[in-house]
Amino acid sequence: MRLSELSALVVNFFKMNESIKHKIEQLSKQIEEHNFNYYVNAAPVISDFEFDKLLEELIKLENEHPEFLQPDSPSQRVGGQITKEFLTVKHKYPMLSLGNTYSEEDLTDFDERIKKVLVTDYEYVCELKYDGVAIGITYKNGILVQAVTRGDGEKGDDVTTNVKTIKSIPLKLRGTDFPTEFEIRGEIFMPRKVFDEINKDREEIGEPLLANPRNTAAGTLKMQDSAVVAKRNLDCFLYAILADNLPHQHHYENLKAAKNWGFKISEHLQKANNIQNVFKYLDKWDKQRNDLEFDIDGVVIKINSFEQQRILGFTAKSPRWAIAYKFKTQRVSTVLESIVYQVGRTGSITPVANLKPVLLAGTMVKRASLHNADIIEKLDVREGDTVFVEKGGEIIPKIIGVDQSKRDIFSEKTIYITHCPECATELVRSEAEANHYCPNESACPPQVKGRMEHFVSRRALDIDSLGAETIAQLYDAGLIKNCADIYKLKKEDILKIDRMAEKSVNNLLAGIEASKKIPFERVLYGIGIRHIGETTAKKLAYYFKNIDSLKNATLESLLEVGDIGETTAKAILAFFADADNTEIIEKLKGAGLQFALSGEQMVNSSDKLKGLSFVVSGVFNKFSRDDLKKAIEQNGGKNVGSISSKTNYVIAGDNMGPEKHRKAEKLGVPIITEDDFIKMISENEPGVRRTESDEKLINQTPNS
Ligand code: IVH
């Protein structure tokens, strides 16, 4: 090759690289703009589908050219990084709390104190007091560099990786008038809708429900797997900026500026030039708080001028220029008319109090959960009692106590039911669980109907024209007794029952037919084994490949699948030990449902890594970390978070921490490269633990 040709090649290579770099930058900008429109402005301009396409394109380019992957790329929001231990970080500015008041008198006193110190006119800024977890986020040159929790106010936990997954928090700022370095503080919260959905999913797979959005947000922020955090759709309002050179000398104006930099600032911020206007704001939000899409527990009042804030100063714990007015917990008393017992899809019994209807927090409350036998015992609630009902952070109103002064002297202690109210089967209660269960899975009506509803639900078999009502009608008419019967339904049956128009019936039958093509992992999720959610179903499907291998699995082999604990493993064994279940599965197989991975899925999967556990560390060229982990699972291996003597391999990418390297070497865990890994899964011999080539790999280090 001539020199001129070679230099042309080199020039071309650089040009192409430049254009890829440019494309990545352009896509990143475009995606962040859409994130801003959607999550901050609540005004999306493209469909979710179009958005996903853009993100997919970006991720593909970044995977092909990891040298262009930027730390502020929107692809980082998908998560995937594991934080083993959250580092403790000292706050640059201590994270103080606020003085609390519960009464208008206290607020008037606060205002009087301010008046006395300031002498001149002053202005307040009223804000909502978001009920979540405080966070301090540092930006340098417009890039998010660190996010730290409040901790003890002096030191907090570095949760940067998880915070980066929150789509309303900008990774890179817009505009130019922000300080070169600053900290912005705010509250991370979980919108009520997101919380409700999580609980709905948990209910479906028989997991205990989460108590409230605040605790869930706090728990989520400290999760080790940022990919799970990303899926939990946390959100964040920002309420304070700390820097030496802010663009304005007033809090309100700075927050407005921060909005232009891309931060989510509440639209309910309001200036008040006297305490009366503050009272109006309090009143308004005490009444309207239930209309918000997130929880608030009060209102915060702050002096707007920084100069006046400086004059007022701080006490040891909190600023003198701000105060939190906390709403009183909304509490009423009413009569508990009766206690009824509901049976859920998994057979779990929930005692429910029927109340004399009463207005609480803007809604008419007629029922409240009593949770379980222990709670009833602890509160000693009885039918006919006058009870106190509260609406705190929890969505469902709670009975918090009994007004003993109003108890009827003839009232009788509540005796918890011993038999199922639906099918009269004797209830069971295991040591570890708070709830009673009805064990009659195959014939207890709400369990059977609930299981069918789950089976046809969108994320399972997706027969959307078969709603709960139709299922109930078909069940009551004796036409369907289990999921397999759905595939025996005839047009005449449905026509009779539902008095549906012919077109709807045809739709329903088409939906049933189409469900036969739904992939194995969704069928596995649909059959409703306790504790098996979508993710676990997928893992099991790829690990065992077909239903018969799963059915024959032992406790030990189930525990080898990543993230499957003893409770889940035992639930799987119990499911297949029940002849009714295996009979239904055989019938469903006969009807033509997918009970094995498809050919295409099999091509990407094998047993080659069965029994082997991997730690993935660093940045890779040929895989994203997520894809690498997926490849491990699809080939039967298990991902673990940290290196121990039980780890079989560490797959090391670029920038693997020296600490990990040392630990692996000390414990004698082989460190392999991604190419070694590719060799491992592309070799022909299936399922052999340590082949000759494995032995070779064991002696390799990433650079050898
Ligand atoms: S300002 C110097 N504004 O309430 C104190 N705090 O004790 C600066 N909070 O955990 C706090 N909404 O995270 C401020 N609009 C708001 C707030 C707010 C919620 C939380 C904050 C802290 C607690 C105050």
Side-chain angles (χ1 to χ4, degrees), residues 96-98 127-130 134 187 239 300 302 319:
L96 301 176
S97 62
L98 291 171
E127 295 172 21
L128 302 179
K129 188 171 184 305
Y130 318 105
E187 198 85 352
Y239 54 64
V300 180
K302 302 172 183 170

Side-chain angles (χ1 to χ4, degrees), residues 58-321:
L58 173 68
I59 292 174
K60 185 167 173 278
L61 281 178
E62 286 176 344
N63 281 342
E64 287 164 3
H65 298 273
E67 67 276 20
F68 299 139
L69 171 70
Q70 295 298 317
D72 59 336
S73 164
S75 61
Q76 302 297 294
R77 298 199 182 280
V78 197
Q81 252 175 289
I82 306 283
T83 314
K84 186 70 196 39
E85 233 173 288
F86 295 98
L87 289 180
T88 308
V89 179
K90 190 170 182 319
H91 292 294
K92 185 170 174 194
Y93 311 90
M95 251 172 141
L96 301 176
S97 62
L98 291 171
N100 285 332
T101 81
Y102 290 87
S103 70
E104 296 202 350
E105 296 80 74
D106 281 357
L107 262 189
T108 312
D109 290 350
F110 168 77
D111 185 50
E112 288 299 326
R113 282 198 301 273
I114 291 209
K115 209 177 278 170
K116 224 185 249 168
V117 179
L118 291 182
V119 191
T120 51
D121 283 351
Y122 53 90
E123 186 177 50
Y124 289 117
V125 180
C126 305
E127 295 172 21
L128 302 179
K129 188 171 184 305
Y130 318 105
D131 198 8
V133 193
I135 193 83
I137 316 173
T138 303
Y139 285 81
K140 282 188 189 157
N141 300 312
I143 306 286
L144 186 160
V145 291
Q146 194 175 47
V148 182
T149 61
R150 179 171 187 278
D152 61 4
E154 288 290 323
K155 290 187 236 89
D157 289 330
D158 184 330
V159 287
T160 314
T161 311
N162 286 346
V163 165
K164 278 185 171 181
T165 68
I166 302 176
K167 320 278 190 309
S168 57
I169 296 179
L171 302 176
K172 187 179 187 168
L173 302 183
R174 310 151 70 85
T176 49
D177 63 335
F178 44 78
T180 331
E181 182 172 343
F182 68 95
E183 183 177 336
I184 189 158
R185 291 199 175 151
E187 198 85 352
I188 290 178
F189 64 96
M190 178 170 279
R192 287 187 190 142
K193 212 169 124 205
V194 175
F195 174 77
D196 288 346
E197 272 163 19
I198 294 179
N199 260 352
K200 207 170 140 231
D201 287 351
R202 291 179 73 91
E203 198 171 8
E204 286 215 338
I205 58 165
E207 296 279 339
L209 299 190
L210 302 169
N212 57 52
R214 188 210 317 112
N215 293 359
T216 311
T220 303
L221 206 56
K222 296 293 291 288
M223 282 178 155
Q224 293 188 332
D225 187 348
S226 60
V228 181
V229 182
K231 290 197 188 103
R232 283 211 158 177
N233 293 321
L234 294 174
D235 205 338
C236 181
F237 278 120
L238 286 312
Y239 54 64
I241 316 173
L242 301 154
D244 298 331
N245 47 347
L246 283 164
H248 304 280
Q249 283 309 304
H250 289 83
H251 170 67
Y252 185 88
E253 281 66 27
N254 278 322
L255 284 190
K256 289 284 163 191
K259 188 170 165 58
N260 294 329
W261 305 337
F263 291 106
K264 183 159 173 158
I265 309 291
S266 167
E267 59 195 78
H268 303 305
L269 232 57
Q270 201 172 303
K271 287 189 193 176
N273 52 9
N274 58 44
I275 197 75
Q276 271 67 39
N277 287 339
V278 170
F279 290 152
K280 278 191 200 148
Y281 185 86
L282 302 184
D283 268 2
K284 173 178 163 178
W285 286 110
D286 200 359
K287 290 199 186 86
Q288 293 183 17
R289 56 194 276 209
N290 301 302
D291 303 337
L292 292 166
E293 285 171 353
F294 48 87
D295 285 350
I296 58 171
D297 59 343
V299 157
V300 180
I301 301 119
K302 302 172 183 170
I303 284 286
N304 195 17
S305 147
F306 285 166
E307 180 51 28
Q308 292 179 332
Q309 287 188 5
R310 262 192 295 275
I311 295 171
L312 288 158
F314 295 83
T315 69
K317 281 191 298 188
S318 52
R320 290 202 184 86
W321 44 264

